[in-house]
Amino acid sequence: MSSTNYPPHLPPGPPPQPPIIPPKDGVEQEIIIAVMGVTGTGKSYFIKEVSGISDVVVSNGLHSCTASVQPYSFLHAGAKITLIDTPGFNDTTKTDTEVLADICAWTSLNYRKGRLLSGIIYLHRITDVRMDGSSLKNLRMFQRLCGPGALKNVLLTTTQWSNVDPALGEFREDNLRHGDFWGGLVSKGASLERFMGTRESGLGLINKLMENEPKALNIQYQMVQKNMTLVETSAGKFINEELIALERKHQENLENLEKERQKAVKEKDDEMKEILAQEQAKAREKLEKAAAEKKLLADIHAAEMKKREEAERRREEERERNERAVIAVAAKDISVMAHLKCMFTSYDTRGRLIYDIDDTREFVKDSFPITIHYQFNFLAGIEVCVKTIAEIFDAGMGINNYVKYNGGYYRCKGEGCVKRGSQKFVIFRRV
Ligand SMILES: Nc1nc2c(ncn2[C@@H]2O[C@H](COP(=O)(O)OP(=O)(O)OP(=O)(O)O)[C@@H](O)[C@H]2O)c(=O)[nH]1
Ligand SMILES: [Mg+2]
């Protein structure tokens, strides 16, 4: 009998991807919306106003307020709306790397659970006279986090309209729409909206996003599907490049200050020497800060790489263990008459997955339902039928059989039963 009759052995595939569970069609649909933007633009204010949740902390000073990603849920229009408050980049208390790591941890975890964002509300103060470095950096980070695929679900939203002359606000809004700042994003599908500071205005924005098909962010795809480390993602690369440039800038500044200080020493200009020494101390502090952040990013990368290698090693061990595993069926779980009747079809019984055939303890673990299939082969049937009952138990079943379990195929090759404890077992080995 040719072994080509048997189902093929399944080749080991790529590492299993985390399951993406579709949102449940329950009575309560969940709409998840992230609220992002520079510190102080009004992210927490928006969430507090729209959700009515009094616990949301709104800043009252110059310092950054929201320190970590925080979800807030409330009911609206028959759905559970979850607004995600996020810390901004260029935060006064946390480094960009810490903020990015926090956002990535939240988004990756939720992506693995199948929770995708229906939208992102990206806030910007209409009162801002011009785009400072912080706003530009934030926007660049946002573009990398979001990616072009999710732009249709993005509302670029201006805030604090009550603090600006309406005509001036409109002029700035027009510049935002057509200028370099938001023009590119608008042309690729993002919408420009206004938040007028009221619950009604905020809910209007939410209503627009409720219609959307939830989408994965670029960072979620890169970290979960592509298994990238933080620094390998587009957003992580951007921060790393910024830090390298910043370190270089501070280093050059320090070198120039030293040259000037040497000159002051030569010219015996004590006052200048003192000023330059103070400048050097400040520059050194900035350099150390940039270097520390670069190290933090490198440490995160090293820890993620270690985790990735460990996961790969565990997967490989698991694969090898499964390769060696056999399925054991107790002789008592095979009714000879039923078995003979089913010789040309299939036979339902119970089996155990055994990783170490020499370990008797494995043979007493709980059994689970299995089906022994027979390939239709008249001669094979005859061959088995003519055997005595004892022969069937001793030699296993007809050799033209298989059990499918967990994507693999197992076959009893007629090698006889094994005795473990007081029982005999028929062994199906992986093919
Ligand atoms: N008038 C007006 N004030 C606003 C609006 N949005 C925010 N503010 C004020 O702006 C300040 C900052 O608001 P927050 O909501 O704390 O800003 P944030 O973006 O959460 O800031 P971080 O948590 O530091 O990132 C607060 O004093 C708010 O009261 C708005 O639409 N209109
Ligand atoms: Mg906040």
Side-chain angles (χ1 to χ4, degrees):
M1 249 163 285
S2 153
S3 62
T4 52
N5 285 341
Y6 299 105
H9 170 67
L10 297 180
Q17 296 293 347
I20 303 301
I21 310 150
K24 282 189 192 126
D25 287 336
V27 192
E28 206 180 74
Q29 183 198 6
E30 188 179 16
I31 304 285
I32 309 173
I33 297 165
V35 185
M36 303 181 114
V38 179
T39 183
T41 44
K43 301 179 290 293
S44 303
Y45 177 93
F46 174 87
I47 293 173
K48 189 172 188 172
E49 199 61 34
V50 174
S51 67
I53 300 171
S54 56
D55 290 352
V56 185
V57 184
V58 174
S59 132
N60 55 6
L62 291 172
H63 294 291
S64 302
C65 184
T66 306
S68 58
V69 174
Q70 184 73 46
Y72 296 96
S73 299
F74 63 102
L75 293 177
H76 168 65
K80 177 182 171 184
I81 310 289
T82 299
L83 296 177
I84 315 296
D85 201 357
T86 60
F89 294 95
N90 256 21
D91 189 289
T92 51
T93 52
K94 286 179 110 180
T95 64
D96 287 349
T97 302
E98 287 170 316
V99 171
L100 179 64
D102 190 21
I103 291 177
C104 284
W106 194 91
T107 50
S108 298
L109 178 75
N110 283 276
Y111 183 71
R112 286 193 174 93
K113 289 182 185 167
R115 298 173 83 218
L116 299 180
L117 296 177
S118 288
I120 303 168
I121 296 179
Y122 188 87
L123 298 183
H124 174 78
R125 279 179 298 243
I126 199 68
T127 50
D128 282 4
V129 180
R130 60 189 167 82
M131 295 312 141
D132 57 6
S134 163
S135 303
L136 279 173
K137 192 171 170 190
N138 231 279
L139 188 71
R140 291 203 181 115
M141 277 302 294
F142 171 70
Q143 281 174 289
R144 283 158 180 83
L145 279 173
C146 176
L151 276 181
K152 280 201 168 58
N153 289 359
V154 172
L155 301 185
L156 300 165
T157 307
T158 46
T159 63
Q160 309 202 7
W161 279 87
S162 59
N163 295 333
V164 76
D165 169 67
L168 182 60
E170 253 174 65
F171 172 74
R172 285 184 188 151
E173 188 184 46
D174 209 46
N175 278 345
L176 284 170
R177 189 192 306 275
H178 300 292
D180 293 342
F181 194 61
W182 279 355
L185 297 178
V186 172
S187 70
K188 287 184 192 117
S191 315
L192 205 141
E193 302 287 343
R194 290 181 189 183
F195 170 54
M196 303 310 290
T198 62
R199 178 159 210 249
E200 196 188 18
S201 163
L203 287 177
L205 300 178
I206 297 209
N207 289 342
K208 284 189 180 155
L209 294 173
M210 285 178 80
E211 308 287 314
N212 287 350
E213 181 198 335
K215 286 204 164 32
L217 301 177
N218 188 36
I219 193 87
Q220 294 175 313
Y221 173 74
Q222 291 185 322
M223 290 209 74
V224 182
Q225 295 287 28
K226 300 292 252 183
N227 203 18
M228 288 181 177
T229 66
L230 192 66
V231 76
E232 287 170 345
T233 64
S234 318
K237 260 189 209 147
F238 177 70
I239 286 193
N240 200 33
E241 282 159 16
E242 289 268 302
L243 286 172
I244 291 170
L246 201 63
E247 220 181 2
R248 198 179 305 129
K249 190 180 120 190
H250 293 322
Q251 188 69 48
E252 278 170 13
N253 187 24
L254 210 55
E255 283 163 15
N256 289 337
L257 287 169
E258 179 57 18
K259 275 183 207 155
E260 283 182 46
R261 200 186 65 86
Q262 298 281 356
K263 198 170 148 225
V265 170
K266 240 187 228 168
E267 290 168 3
K268 299 195 174 7
D269 185 345
D270 287 347
E271 199 183 334
M272 184 52 84
K273 216 174 73 187
E274 184 55 33
I275 293 170
L276 288 167
Q278 282 172 10
E279 286 297 308
Q280 274 183 316
K282 278 189 216 158
R284 212 169 282 123
E285 202 179 305
K286 283 183 188 164
L287 179 66
E288 279 163 12
K289 213 172 144 207
E293 192 177 344
K294 225 176 95 204
K295 185 176 175 307
L296 173 67
L297 201 55
D299 288 348
I300 293 175
H301 177 69
E304 285 175 329
M305 285 300 285
K306 201 171 158 208
K307 240 165 107 181
R308 189 200 279 179
E309 279 158 19
E310 268 168 22
E312 269 166 22
R313 188 180 49 74
R314 272 201 304 275
R315 263 202 302 271
E316 182 59 21
E317 276 174 12
E318 185 67 18
R319 200 184 61 75
E320 282 174 9
R321 196 163 167 252
N322 283 333
E323 285 288 301
R324 285 196 306 271
V326 299
I327 287 181
V329 183
K332 73 170 179 53
D333 289 335
I334 299 174
S335 149
V336 175
M337 288 322 291
H339 173 68
L340 288 174
K341 264 193 225 160
C342 300
M343 203 50 79
F344 298 118
T345 54
S346 60
Y347 179 69
D348 292 331
T349 181
R350 299 184 73 79
R352 293 170 174 81
L353 191 69
I354 307 290
Y355 293 106
D356 180 359
I357 198 166
D358 297 321
D359 185 352
T360 307
R361 286 168 305 176
E362 284 215 51
F363 287 78
V364 293
K365 63 189 184 187
D366 287 345
S367 62
F368 51 82
I370 59 158
T371 302
I372 303 168
H373 298 271
Y374 288 89
Q375 299 279 302
F376 183 79
N377 184 324
F378 182 70
L379 284 176
I382 293 287
E383 184 192 319
V384 176
C385 286
V386 295
K387 289 186 176 182
T388 65
I389 292 169
E391 273 175 327
I392 288 173
F393 278 161
D394 283 347
M397 278 142 291
I399 60 171
N400 215 357
N401 60 66
Y402 68 93
V403 170
K404 193 174 172 202
Y405 175 74
N406 207 14
Y409 291 93
Y410 298 78
R411 178 154 53 105
C412 173
K413 296 175 183 167
E415 64 191 67
C417 295
V418 299
K419 194 164 182 230
R420 294 288 177 265
S422 58
Q423 283 198 71
K424 278 185 169 180
F425 292 87
V426 175
I427 302 297
F428 289 74
R429 290 186 189 277
R430 205 171 163 119
V431 288

